[in-house]
Amino acid sequence: MTDGSNPNDADERVLARSRFREALIRPELGGIAGIILVFIFFLLTARDSGMFGPAGVMNWSIVSAQFAIIAVGACLLMIAGEFDLSVGSMIGFAGISIAILSVHLGWPMWMAIIATFIICVALGGVNGWLVIKTGLPSFIVTLAFLYILRGLTIFAAIATTRKTIIGGVREQAEGDWLASLFGGKVLTGVFQWMGDAGWIETFSRGTREGQPVVDGIPMLIVWAIALVIFGHFLLTRTKFGNWIFASGGDAQSARYTGVPVNRVKVLMFMFTAFCATVFATCQVMEFGSAGADRGLLKEFEAIISVVIGGALLTGGYGSVIGAALGALIFGVVQQGLFFAGVESSLFRVFLGVILLLAVILNTYIRRMITGEK
């Protein structure tokens, strides 16, 4: 005797719950929800301020790209189970290194850039090596490097030029083949054509009359997109990406299965330093100068972007796409507050609130994954 119910109905309900749970634990969920809410908020409060015009979009895209570049490196490192608090100091150090080598010592710009990348990536390797060899938490090791690099940066700038801000980089970089990959713009002809066609605004007076208000896509944005694509592909489509997850999830078990955990972690520290140097080089080329205090607090902004993007602080779980969405949220909010006429200091309040909410959500997700109560 039966109750007349179809056993397939129960299977469908279980399947539906399984799909819902699978969607709920996707790392990008928080970033997707956050970016939707942020865009809705500013569409309602700053729609008529020019925030969503060509110039406005370019403004918050540039800021988002800055966050995204360093967030990619921080994301992969956090998934591997480590932190790097020296990112901000590495940005200042790399910028001063380029300026001293090119402006003060007279090196060709391309040589100064390449040398700086080699030095900074090597320092990232030292960070990782110390974490592995000493067994100390990466939080402590990289916190020490935060102060060491910042102090060395200020000392080097004052010892060589007696200044903490070194100018003349733009003139030194003019016509340099490698500098254009960090400080130039792409698709300038396309934007000029759109301006001539009336699709985007153009300047109506002065020396720039007839030129579009947005005359190209800065290389900073190109680098951000390229690094996000590379990081996502590495993490989701390669064996090394599986090694990254395994190293952060359970390092000892990963070693038993043949994963070179130490090598993975050192390489992730080096990649984080590489991303910080990309950021610094783009910044130096944009401003035409380097400052010893550049990059302040960028390490925390990168980590917050990654956490908003769904990465667990305990490692072994996260998404580069989610980190990119977290960076986009930061860029939109930072510039959106300006367009909405809100006091800019509230951006720090937003950072604190969104970090707290993200950690609470990620803790809930971790318990769902592990079955903890």
Side-chain angles (χ1 to χ4, degrees):
M1 186 171 180
T2 64
D3 59 1
S5 62
N6 187 344
N8 290 332
D9 293 342
D11 293 341
E12 290 175 0
R13 288 194 294 270
V14 171
L15 183 61
R17 286 197 297 271
S18 176
R19 287 176 176 173
F20 174 74
R21 182 178 181 276
E22 183 179 350
L24 189 62
I25 64 174
R26 289 292 301 171
E28 303 89 352
L29 179 64
I32 293 172
I35 200 63
I36 291 173
L37 292 175
V38 163
F39 270 108
I40 290 175
F41 175 78
F42 286 112
L43 279 170
L44 294 175
T45 59
R47 182 172 54 187
D48 299 327
S49 64
M51 179 178 176
F52 296 99
V57 170
M58 184 57 67
N59 282 340
W60 51 258
S61 295
I62 290 173
V63 175
S64 299
Q66 293 174 351
F67 289 125
I69 287 173
I70 53 177
V72 172
C75 177
L76 295 179
L77 183 61
M78 285 177 62
I79 294 174
E82 305 294 345
F83 292 92
D84 189 349
L85 297 183
S86 66
V87 169
S89 295
M90 186 70 77
I91 291 171
F93 176 83
I96 288 294
S97 173
I98 291 172
I100 289 176
L101 292 176
S102 62
V103 177
H104 184 70
L105 298 181
W107 288 22
M109 183 58 69
W110 64 268
M111 190 181 295
I113 292 173
I114 292 175
T116 296
F117 268 95
I118 293 173
I119 294 169
C120 292
V121 170
L123 287 172
V126 171
N127 255 340
W129 181 82
L130 285 173
V131 169
I132 299 300
K133 291 300 181 181
T134 64
L136 293 172
S138 55
F139 175 89
I140 298 298
V141 174
T142 58
L143 181 62
F145 257 79
L146 179 154
Y147 285 102
I148 291 171
L149 283 177
R150 187 66 72 184
L152 282 176
T153 302
I154 297 172
F155 171 78
I158 294 177
T160 55
T161 66
R162 299 189 181 277
K163 296 180 290 185
T164 57
I165 298 178
I166 304 174
V169 175
R170 182 174 288 112
E171 292 76 14
Q172 193 72 13
E174 190 171 351
D176 187 88
W177 65 273
L178 188 55
S180 63
L181 296 181
F182 294 92
K185 293 183 178 181
V186 297
L187 301 179
T188 53
V190 173
F191 280 87
Q192 184 62 59
W193 174 75
M194 289 192 294
D196 294 338
W199 292 2
I200 59 175
E201 299 176 32
T202 59
F203 290 99
S204 58
R205 62 183 64 182
T207 58
R208 300 190 63 187
E209 183 177 356
Q211 295 184 18
V213 293
V214 177
D215 58 356
I217 298 177
M219 288 304 299
L220 178 78
I221 296 178
V222 176
W223 273 103
I225 295 172
L227 286 172
V228 169
I229 293 173
F230 170 78
H232 178 69
F233 179 83
L234 179 71
L235 196 61
T236 61
R237 295 290 186 269
T238 68
K239 181 171 70 172
F240 191 84
N242 292 331
W243 289 356
I244 294 173
F245 280 115
S247 298
D250 190 333
Q252 196 57 48
S253 296
R255 289 188 177 95
Y256 290 150
T257 59
V259 176
V261 173
N262 291 351
R263 176 152 56 99
V264 169
K265 293 193 175 190
V266 170
L267 286 173
M268 289 302 94
F269 274 105
M270 295 172 72
F271 182 68
T272 301
F274 175 85
C275 292
T277 309
V278 169
F279 179 102
T281 308
C282 291
Q283 189 180 62
V284 166
M285 296 306 157
E286 178 188 358
F287 294 154
S289 64
D293 61 343
R294 300 258 174 92
L296 191 64
L297 298 180
K298 289 299 180 185
E299 57 275 352
F300 297 108
E301 293 170 353
I303 291 173
I304 294 173
S305 295
V306 176
V307 172
I308 292 174
L312 294 179
L313 296 173
T314 51
Y317 182 83
S319 163
V320 172
I321 299 299
L325 290 172
L328 181 59
I329 290 173
F330 272 9
V332 172
V333 170
Q334 189 180 72
Q335 295 299 298
L337 293 176
F338 169 77
F339 282 105
V342 178
E343 172 58 44
S344 60
S345 59
L346 291 179
F347 177 63
R348 300 295 176 188
V349 177
F350 166 80
L351 290 187
V353 172
I354 200 70
L355 174 61
L356 182 61
L357 293 176
V359 171
I360 293 173
L361 176 62
N362 291 351
T363 301
Y364 174 71
I365 291 173
R366 177 178 58 81
R367 290 175 178 173
M368 287 186 60
I369 295 172
T370 61
E372 296 178 10
K373 293 184 179 180

Short mmCIF file of all heavy atoms in Angstrom, two decimals, residues 13 17 38 44 49 52 54 67 70 101-102 138 144 146 160 190 200 236 265 268 271 292 325 345 362:
data_model
loop_
_atom_site.label_atom_id
_atom_site.label_comp_id
_atom_site.label_asym_id
_atom_site.label_seq_id
_atom_site.Cartn_x
_atom_site.Cartn_y
_atom_site.Cartn_z
N ARG A 13 13.13 17.36 -5.39
CA ARG A 13 13.30 18.32 -4.30
C ARG A 13 14.73 18.28 -3.76
O ARG A 13 15.33 19.31 -3.47
CB ARG A 13 12.30 18.04 -3.17
CG ARG A 13 10.86 18.41 -3.51
CD ARG A 13 10.00 18.44 -2.27
NE ARG A 13 9.87 17.11 -1.67
CZ ARG A 13 8.91 16.24 -1.98
NH1 ARG A 13 8.01 16.55 -2.90
NH2 ARG A 13 8.86 15.08 -1.38
N ARG A 17 17.41 21.33 -3.88
CA ARG A 17 18.15 21.82 -2.71
C ARG A 17 19.65 21.74 -2.94
O ARG A 17 20.41 22.61 -2.54
CB ARG A 17 17.76 21.01 -1.47
CG ARG A 17 16.38 21.32 -0.92
CD ARG A 17 16.24 20.82 0.50
NE ARG A 17 16.34 19.36 0.57
CZ ARG A 17 15.32 18.53 0.44
NH1 ARG A 17 14.10 19.00 0.23
NH2 ARG A 17 15.51 17.23 0.54
N VAL A 38 25.27 47.95 -5.09
CA VAL A 38 26.02 49.21 -5.22
C VAL A 38 25.57 49.99 -6.46
O VAL A 38 25.34 51.20 -6.39
CB VAL A 38 27.53 48.92 -5.28
CG1 VAL A 38 28.30 50.13 -5.81
CG2 VAL A 38 28.06 48.54 -3.90
N LEU A 44 20.31 55.41 -8.23
CA LEU A 44 19.24 56.18 -7.60
C LEU A 44 19.74 57.51 -7.03
O LEU A 44 18.99 58.49 -7.00
CB LEU A 44 18.59 55.35 -6.48
CG LEU A 44 17.84 54.09 -6.90
CD1 LEU A 44 17.35 53.31 -5.68
CD2 LEU A 44 16.65 54.44 -7.80
N SER A 49 24.68 62.97 -11.96
CA SER A 49 25.94 63.66 -11.64
C SER A 49 27.04 63.41 -12.66
O SER A 49 28.13 63.97 -12.53
CB SER A 49 26.43 63.18 -10.26
OG SER A 49 26.73 61.79 -10.31
N PHE A 52 27.76 57.95 -14.60
CA PHE A 52 27.60 56.90 -15.58
C PHE A 52 27.77 57.40 -17.01
O PHE A 52 27.42 56.71 -17.96
CB PHE A 52 26.25 56.21 -15.39
CG PHE A 52 26.13 55.50 -14.07
CD1 PHE A 52 25.47 56.09 -13.00
CD2 PHE A 52 26.71 54.26 -13.88
CE1 PHE A 52 25.38 55.45 -11.78
CE2 PHE A 52 26.63 53.61 -12.66
CZ PHE A 52 25.96 54.21 -11.60
N PRO A 54 30.65 58.83 -19.96
CA PRO A 54 31.96 58.28 -20.35
C PRO A 54 33.08 58.62 -19.38
O PRO A 54 33.86 57.75 -18.99
CB PRO A 54 32.19 58.90 -21.73
CG PRO A 54 30.82 59.18 -22.25
CD PRO A 54 29.99 59.55 -21.06
N PHE A 67 42.64 48.51 -7.65
CA PHE A 67 42.35 47.50 -6.64
C PHE A 67 42.49 46.09 -7.22
O PHE A 67 43.01 45.18 -6.57
CB PHE A 67 40.93 47.68 -6.10
CG PHE A 67 40.75 48.89 -5.23
CD1 PHE A 67 39.78 49.84 -5.53
CD2 PHE A 67 41.54 49.09 -4.12
CE1 PHE A 67 39.60 50.95 -4.73
CE2 PHE A 67 41.37 50.20 -3.31
CZ PHE A 67 40.39 51.14 -3.62
N ILE A 70 46.21 44.39 -7.58
CA ILE A 70 46.81 43.82 -6.37
C ILE A 70 45.91 42.76 -5.76
O ILE A 70 46.40 41.87 -5.04
CB ILE A 70 47.15 44.93 -5.34
CG1 ILE A 70 45.92 45.81 -5.06
CG2 ILE A 70 48.31 45.77 -5.82
CD1 ILE A 70 46.17 46.87 -4.01
N LEU A 101 66.69 54.60 -10.38
CA LEU A 101 67.49 53.98 -11.44
C LEU A 101 67.44 54.78 -12.74
O LEU A 101 68.46 54.92 -13.43
CB LEU A 101 67.01 52.54 -11.68
CG LEU A 101 67.26 51.54 -10.55
CD1 LEU A 101 66.65 50.19 -10.90
CD2 LEU A 101 68.74 51.38 -10.26
N SER A 102 66.27 55.32 -13.06
CA SER A 102 66.12 56.02 -14.34
C SER A 102 66.49 57.50 -14.25
O SER A 102 67.29 58.00 -15.05
CB SER A 102 64.69 55.87 -14.86
OG SER A 102 63.76 56.47 -13.96
N SER A 138 52.68 33.84 8.10
CA SER A 138 53.00 34.83 7.07
C SER A 138 52.57 36.22 7.51
O SER A 138 53.16 37.22 7.07
CB SER A 138 52.32 34.46 5.76
OG SER A 138 50.92 34.29 5.92
N ALA A 144 56.66 42.35 9.25
CA ALA A 144 58.03 42.84 9.42
C ALA A 144 58.54 43.45 8.11
O ALA A 144 59.17 44.51 8.12
CB ALA A 144 58.93 41.68 9.85
N LEU A 146 56.77 44.80 5.84
CA LEU A 146 56.06 46.06 5.61
C LEU A 146 56.90 47.23 6.13
O LEU A 146 57.07 48.23 5.43
CB LEU A 146 54.70 46.01 6.32
CG LEU A 146 53.78 47.24 6.23
CD1 LEU A 146 52.32 46.79 6.39
CD2 LEU A 146 54.07 48.28 7.32
N THR A 160 69.75 59.37 -1.83
CA THR A 160 70.18 59.60 -3.21
C THR A 160 69.76 60.96 -3.76
O THR A 160 70.49 61.59 -4.53
CB THR A 160 69.64 58.50 -4.14
OG1 THR A 160 68.21 58.42 -4.00
CG2 THR A 160 70.24 57.16 -3.81
N VAL A 190 39.76 54.56 -31.97
CA VAL A 190 38.34 54.18 -31.86
C VAL A 190 37.57 55.25 -31.09
O VAL A 190 36.47 55.65 -31.48
CB VAL A 190 38.21 52.81 -31.17
CG1 VAL A 190 36.74 52.48 -30.89
CG2 VAL A 190 38.85 51.72 -32.02
N ILE A 200 30.19 59.89 -28.12
CA ILE A 200 30.64 60.29 -26.80
C ILE A 200 30.95 61.78 -26.83
O ILE A 200 31.18 62.36 -27.89
CB ILE A 200 31.89 59.50 -26.35
CG1 ILE A 200 33.05 59.69 -27.33
CG2 ILE A 200 31.58 58.02 -26.20
CD1 ILE A 200 34.33 59.02 -26.87
N THR A 236 41.52 27.79 -12.30
CA THR A 236 40.41 26.89 -12.63
C THR A 236 40.68 25.93 -13.78
O THR A 236 39.91 24.99 -13.98
CB THR A 236 39.15 27.72 -12.99
OG1 THR A 236 39.43 28.53 -14.15
CG2 THR A 236 38.74 28.60 -11.84
N LYS A 265 53.64 27.92 -2.52
CA LYS A 265 53.48 29.11 -1.67
C LYS A 265 54.53 30.17 -1.99
O LYS A 265 54.21 31.37 -2.04
CB LYS A 265 53.54 28.70 -0.20
CG LYS A 265 52.34 27.85 0.23
CD LYS A 265 52.23 27.72 1.73
CE LYS A 265 50.95 26.97 2.09
NZ LYS A 265 50.64 26.99 3.53
N MET A 268 53.55 31.92 -5.13
CA MET A 268 52.43 32.83 -4.93
C MET A 268 52.87 34.13 -4.26
O MET A 268 52.36 35.21 -4.56
CB MET A 268 51.33 32.16 -4.09
CG MET A 268 50.57 31.08 -4.85
SD MET A 268 49.78 31.69 -6.37
CE MET A 268 51.01 31.32 -7.62
N PHE A 271 54.38 36.04 -7.08
CA PHE A 271 53.37 36.60 -7.97
C PHE A 271 52.68 37.81 -7.34
O PHE A 271 52.36 38.79 -8.03
CB PHE A 271 52.32 35.54 -8.32
CG PHE A 271 51.26 36.01 -9.26
CD1 PHE A 271 51.56 36.32 -10.58
CD2 PHE A 271 49.94 36.18 -8.84
CE1 PHE A 271 50.59 36.77 -11.46
CE2 PHE A 271 48.96 36.63 -9.71
CZ PHE A 271 49.28 36.93 -11.02
N ALA A 292 57.78 58.02 -1.80
CA ALA A 292 58.13 56.99 -0.83
C ALA A 292 56.94 56.53 0.00
O ALA A 292 56.96 55.45 0.58
CB ALA A 292 59.24 57.50 0.09
N LEU A 325 35.40 41.35 -8.65
CA LEU A 325 34.12 42.00 -8.33
C LEU A 325 34.25 42.83 -7.05
O LEU A 325 33.69 43.92 -6.95
CB LEU A 325 33.02 40.95 -8.17
CG LEU A 325 32.58 40.24 -9.45
CD1 LEU A 325 31.61 39.10 -9.12
CD2 LEU A 325 31.91 41.22 -10.41
N SER A 345 35.31 60.66 3.60
CA SER A 345 35.82 59.87 4.73
C SER A 345 34.91 58.68 5.04
O SER A 345 35.35 57.71 5.67
CB SER A 345 35.97 60.74 5.98
OG SER A 345 34.72 61.30 6.34
N ASN A 362 31.25 34.61 4.89
CA ASN A 362 32.22 33.57 4.58
C ASN A 362 32.31 32.52 5.68
O ASN A 362 32.53 31.34 5.39
CB ASN A 362 33.60 34.19 4.34
CG ASN A 362 33.65 34.99 3.07
OD1 ASN A 362 32.72 34.96 2.27
ND2 ASN A 362 34.73 35.73 2.86
#
